[in-house]
Amino acid sequence: MVRRRIRARGIVQGVGFRPFVYRIAREHGLAGWVANSPAGVTVEVEGDAASVGRFLDSFRREAPALAQIDEMAVEDLAAAGDTEFVIRESGGADAEFVLVPPDIATCAECRGDFTDPANRRYLYPFTNCTNCGPRYTIIEDIPYDRPFTTMSVFPMCAECQREYEDPGDRRFHAQPNACPVCGPRLDVPLEEVRGLLRAGQIIAIKGLGGFHLACNAEDDAAVRRLRERKRRSDKPFALMAWDLAEVERVCLVSEDERAVLTGARRPIVILDRRPGTGISEAVAPGNNTIGVMLPYTPLHHLLFGDGLNILVMTSGNISEEPIVSRNEEAPARLGGIADAYLTHNRGIRTRVDDSVVRVYAGRERVIRRSRGFAPLAIDLGMPVRQVLAVGAELKNTFCLTKDHYAIPSQHIGDLENFETLEFFEETLEHMRRFFRVEPVAVAHDLHPGYLSTRIAQGMSGIPRVGVQHHHAHIAACMAENHLREKVIGVAFDGTGYGTDGQVWGGEFLVCDFAGFERRGHFRYVPMAGGDQAIREPWRMALAWLRETFGGAVPELPFLAAIPERRRAVVEAMLAGGVQIVATSSCGRLFDAVAAMLGLRLETNFEGQAAIELEAVAAPGVHEPYPFEVDGAAIDLRPVIARIAGELRQGVPGPVIAARFHETIAAIAVEVCGRIRAADRLERVCLSGGTFQNRRLAERCLDSLVCHGFEVYLHAQVPPNDGGISLGQAVIASNAA
Ligand code: ZN
Ligand code: ZN
Ligand code: FE
């Protein structure tokens, strides 16, 4: 007889791990027990040596699909003479480290339950089990047990209790287990809600991590009304489709995209849309891609039918404020937008938006990391000190580190208003408690005006580490790819505060976690009126043309669309150097080219012009424009000159857009080649918001690989500023 204790760490709670252990222990005829601990799961098994060996084998190999074992320790104990195997109640919280599970989309078996007229959960919108359902959004504290969730106010009925206590049941210890008798309820019958949606109304629907604003995506008038009321002039709305067939009706879906759409995380997937599908043009004006997700809770599944196949499902907020999650705040904040409400009485402890991903360069790439991902830890493959990194300003996330992990927060949003700041602070407080992190340093961006920087400065008694924006971008890419040694970092980005006080964004770094050298950058151009130049790409086009041609700017067609007085003001600024910031931004260069092509002279959201430039780029065009590299400065004036010439010759915009993308990829190859020759570095990390552009990312990747580089992209955190906090965290953690 032997007895072993196994301690497993990772994602082992809330994913059906204890019933799994129970089952395999019995299969192998072993006695002992299994329990959740704050650090994961602890098991003791007793039996003959061969059976214990087979048990350990199964333990490693057959773990539930949603489980993730990061660490497993086995020790020998003296036999205790146990005769049966039991599941023990969870122990109390101590100072150890546990990973909290993210929310998981409804599983196929649960879907079977609530669509089966004979099942006691028929049409019940809060059906869940050990393999699916709410987790992070309802957890108040750890260990993850029902009394520490927002389900604590729903005592289980006898039938649910029986399932909960039966190790052979799929709902054994499913903490949010519920049924129509004992569980949460909707306040309006679903039939009525479907009727309102069919009638063209906008409904605020309380879901898993907050409210959505929903309307029928095929009802053009409804979508336009939503757009007007939400004051979101052009930013695309996400869609939720009834099933995969409906997604395929409106979009082109690859095999990989299908897997992501139907996976347990159910993010919004950015897909190429098909023309002429009946989806309102107002869903994503000027865009040839569209974000679509499949239902991820029973409530969402049950919204469809009766002629409703595809819904707009956009975050329930006003412009850039955080998503609304409490019933009582909904009327005040969404009253001007929604015609009606669908709420329920299950509390949302933590607000979590839908995640957004795009599939390219062979895998899923996260663009917005929220539901289904947060608060999953990212294994860094190295020990780290405990730090807090507060992130950037736009698309903010923060990040905690501990042990071997980085734990990024869910998407917080643009830190530009009081509500978002509050969301930041409440989430930070919550996550620090969950993960028991006591930061020894706080990392922040160098930009003195970022609210996140000011949050860090307001924390007394803790050392601060300022991290340059693009160093953080590249460090984030290094961290998730487990790179420690020096790399070449290519940061193509919109805006980031440089160490010279200028706006950086077309950067070639040589860096590791300890520091960086700026080895190349796009030649500076003036941004007339600072941030106004972000909203008005024509200002960047004019600046580039003046840099290229001096006073003799060629009269390209787009200039005719700019009112003379406004142009004169900007020309004066550029000529006099008044209200000017210098920028090396790649994002602003994309803006300038989009404006030159007449695609977009003014934007409603950051990156809009660049998205449209990608959208029009013709396939199969591979010839770059000439450019010059002068020391550290990459001179793009020859590119602008050629584009201006081709525009005058009548070369089609899509061809120019394609050649421009090729040019940026060619620049990456050229500059990385020079750095490789000087420093013998072969590894290249690509990061920055511009790499959300699939065409650019794929062309840079392919060209660099062709030239013998080892190239790393983001997958787990966004290349945009949502990934900044991870980079800041590893840099600060590495600092002495
Ligand atoms: Zn389930
Ligand atoms: Zn019940
Ligand atoms: Fe950035």
Side-chain angles (χ1 to χ4, degrees):
M1 280 303 206
V2 297
R3 189 176 180 94
R4 299 261 193 280
R5 176 184 294 148
I6 302 130
R7 287 200 179 91
R9 304 173 61 166
I11 309 290
V12 288
Q13 295 187 13
V15 292
F17 207 87
R18 285 178 301 171
F20 153 71
V21 173
Y22 178 89
R23 181 175 59 75
I24 59 170
R26 294 216 154 180
E27 271 171 24
H28 296 292
L30 302 177
W33 53 267
V34 55
N36 275 345
S37 69
V41 158
T42 305
V43 189
E44 289 189 20
V45 284
E46 185 167 333
D48 66 86
S51 302
V52 169
R54 283 196 296 274
F55 168 86
L56 287 171
D57 238 37
S58 305
F59 189 94
R60 287 193 191 94
R61 289 214 203 119
E62 297 161 26
L66 298 165
Q68 173 192 317
I69 300 174
D70 289 329
E71 218 179 290
M72 184 172 149
V74 183
E75 58 183 309
D76 289 331
L77 300 176
D82 286 355
T83 52
E84 56 167 5
F85 195 90
V86 295
I87 294 172
R88 282 196 186 165
E89 285 307 308
S90 299
D94 60 24
E96 278 186 274
F97 187 30
V98 66
L99 299 179
V100 177
D103 303 284
I104 302 158
T106 304
C107 73
E109 283 165 298
C110 282
R111 191 169 184 190
D113 288 348
F114 68 77
T115 52
D116 171 9
N119 192 286
R120 71 188 191 92
R121 288 190 175 84
Y122 181 53
L123 302 183
Y124 183 56
F126 301 95
T127 304
N128 66 81
C129 74
T130 351
N131 302 317
C132 77
R135 301 287 189 271
Y136 180 47
T137 50
I138 61 163
I139 297 176
E140 312 246 6
D141 207 348
I142 58 164
Y144 171 50
D145 257 340
R146 191 172 177 107
F148 303 124
T149 71
T150 60
M151 286 300 293
S152 62
V153 297
F154 300 100
M156 277 183 276
C157 67
E159 186 60 9
C160 286
Q161 190 72 36
R162 192 197 56 69
E163 294 166 339
Y164 185 86
E165 286 168 7
D166 175 4
D169 194 280
R170 201 172 89 247
R171 297 194 167 90
F172 174 70
H173 280 226
Q175 307 305 342
N177 188 27
C179 79
V181 175
C182 64
R185 285 158 204 265
L186 296 178
D187 65 344
V188 180
L190 280 164
E191 217 174 8
E192 202 173 300
V193 174
R194 285 195 299 268
L196 294 172
L197 286 167
R198 263 202 319 279
Q201 299 222 341
I202 296 165
I203 319 291
I205 297 174
K206 184 182 183 183
L208 184 62
F211 276 80
H212 280 117
L213 289 160
C215 70
N216 185 356
E218 298 184 283
D219 184 335
D220 191 55
V223 179
R224 280 176 203 286
R225 207 161 53 245
L226 174 57
R227 194 165 278 292
E228 257 162 48
R229 290 185 191 170
K230 220 188 161 200
R231 284 179 261 149
R232 181 171 171 136
S233 40
D234 276 337
K235 219 166 171 175
F237 288 140
L239 301 180
M240 183 181 276
W242 193 4
D243 57 12
L244 194 56
E246 178 65 10
V247 183
E248 293 184 324
R249 184 180 72 80
V250 298
C251 293
L252 298 162
V253 186
S254 72
E255 202 59 52
D256 289 343
E257 287 164 341
R258 202 168 296 141
V260 175
L261 277 165
T262 56
R265 304 195 202 289
R266 296 284 157 98
I268 295 167
V269 184
I270 313 268
L271 299 168
D272 291 329
R273 64 196 288 191
R274 293 180 196 274
T277 56
I279 300 291
S280 163
E281 270 312 305
V283 165
N287 231 307
N288 57 3
T289 61
I290 207 164
V292 191
M293 63 186 148
L294 286 171
Y296 54 85
T297 70
L299 168 57
H300 295 136
H301 283 281
L302 295 167
L303 287 173
F304 294 92
D306 304 340
L308 291 168
N309 298 312
I310 189 155
L311 298 171
V312 166
M313 276 291 214
T314 183
S315 297
N317 56 10
I318 311 156
S319 55
E320 302 306 322
E321 286 181 11
I323 189 167
V324 175
S325 67
R326 283 180 252 285
N327 295 358
E328 56 280 10
E329 63 178 347
R333 289 185 54 204
L334 302 176
I337 309 174
D339 297 310
Y341 301 85
L342 172 60
T343 65
H344 57 72
N345 58 352
R346 188 176 74 197
I348 296 173
R349 178 59 185 83
T350 298
R351 283 177 281 185
V352 181
D353 274 284
D354 295 315
S355 291
V356 180
V357 310
R358 196 168 183 182
V359 178
Y360 59 81
R363 62 170 298 184
E364 171 191 49
R365 315 263 167 201
V366 174
I367 303 289
R368 181 168 80 190
R369 193 178 181 278
S370 258
R371 176 182 51 76
F373 292 89
L376 278 178
I378 292 173
D379 185 357
L380 297 170
M382 62 176 182
V384 282
R385 300 190 310 158
Q386 296 188 20
V387 303
L388 162 66
V390 294
E393 171 107 321
L394 300 179
K395 306 180 172 73
N396 178 274
T397 63
F398 62 82
C399 184
L400 295 166
T401 52
K402 182 174 180 175
D403 204 281
H404 288 70
Y405 299 104
I407 313 144
S409 72
Q410 69 269 36
H411 167 80
I412 301 290
D414 298 348
L415 274 184
E416 290 177 325
N417 54 57
F418 178 70
E419 286 73 16
T420 314
L421 180 62
E422 262 189 342
F423 183 27
F424 180 102
E425 283 171 345
E426 86 188 19
T427 309
L428 176 58
E429 194 269 328
H430 201 50
M431 277 183 49
R432 273 183 62 171
R433 198 156 42 80
F434 274 4
F435 298 108
R436 317 250 192 267
V437 176
E438 281 307 323
V440 297
V442 56
H444 59 84
D445 197 272
L446 294 180
H447 198 304
Y450 280 2
L451 202 47
S452 54
T453 304
R454 296 211 289 271
I455 292 171
Q457 285 165 343
M459 293 179 176
S460 53
I462 172 167
R464 290 193 295 271
V465 182
V467 180
Q468 200 279 323
H469 190 93
H470 302 101
H471 186 204
H473 268 307
I474 302 301
C477 186
M478 291 175 66
E480 70 161 288
N481 288 294
H482 290 195
L483 301 174
R484 318 272 155 72
E485 309 295 320
K486 272 194 175 135
V487 299
I488 304 172
V490 180
F492 288 161
D493 199 27
T495 298
Y497 195 80
T499 51
D500 58 0
Q502 309 292 5
V503 178
W504 292 9
E507 311 300 315
F508 290 84
L509 311 180
V510 167
C511 68
D512 55 17
F513 298 143
F516 75 96
E517 282 173 69
R518 190 190 196 199
R519 296 290 286 275
H521 62 86
F522 291 180
R523 187 177 187 278
Y524 284 125
V525 289
M527 284 171 78
D531 282 357
Q532 197 61 27
I534 300 176
R535 289 183 288 272
E536 298 179 8
W538 65 266
R539 293 181 182 230
M540 292 312 303
L542 194 56
W544 271 108
L545 288 167
R546 286 180 56 100
E547 289 295 299
T548 307
F549 295 100
V553 169
E555 283 307 311
L556 298 174
F558 84 94
L559 288 167
I562 297 157
E564 224 155 281
R565 262 193 38 220
R566 295 179 65 196
R567 178 173 167 183
V569 170
V570 169
E571 296 253 21
M573 282 182 189
L574 291 168
V578 188
Q579 293 186 53
I580 294 293
V581 208
T583 187
S584 56
S585 165
C586 186
R588 295 296 81 76
L589 175 66
F590 271 77
D591 285 355
V593 174
M596 283 174 68
L597 266 54
L599 290 173
R600 180 154 295 277
L601 303 181
E602 298 189 6
T603 62
N604 296 305
F605 59 92
E606 210 243 350
Q608 187 179 17
I611 289 169
E612 290 171 2
L613 191 65
E614 178 191 359
V616 301
V621 178
H622 291 300
E623 199 199 334
Y625 294 116
F627 57 90
E628 278 161 29
V629 181
D630 176 13
I634 300 145
D635 192 349
L636 290 133
R637 287 177 302 182
V639 178
I640 299 296
R642 286 290 293 271
I643 292 174
E646 290 193 348
L647 279 169
R648 288 160 75 95
Q649 286 160 24
V651 174
V655 173
I656 297 175
R659 293 191 66 187
F660 173 71
H661 279 80
E662 294 299 315
T663 308
I664 303 301
I667 289 171
V669 170
E670 170 65 27
V671 179
C672 289
R674 289 177 184 226
I675 296 171
R676 175 168 61 184
D679 294 47
R680 303 188 171 280
L681 295 173
E682 307 234 301
R683 291 180 169 164
V684 180
C685 286
L686 307 180
S687 188
T690 311
F691 283 111
Q692 290 170 98
N693 180 321
R694 175 173 61 188
R695 174 126 179 181
L696 182 72
E698 289 185 339
R699 290 303 298 139
C700 285
L701 172 67
D702 292 350
S703 315
L704 286 163
V705 167
C706 268
H707 286 80
F709 291 97
E710 238 180 81
V711 185
Y712 297 87
L713 278 75
H714 284 285
Q716 301 180 69
V717 299
N720 62 44
D721 285 4
I724 286 279
S725 62
L726 172 61
Q728 290 174 342
V730 287
I731 288 169
S733 170
N734 186 76

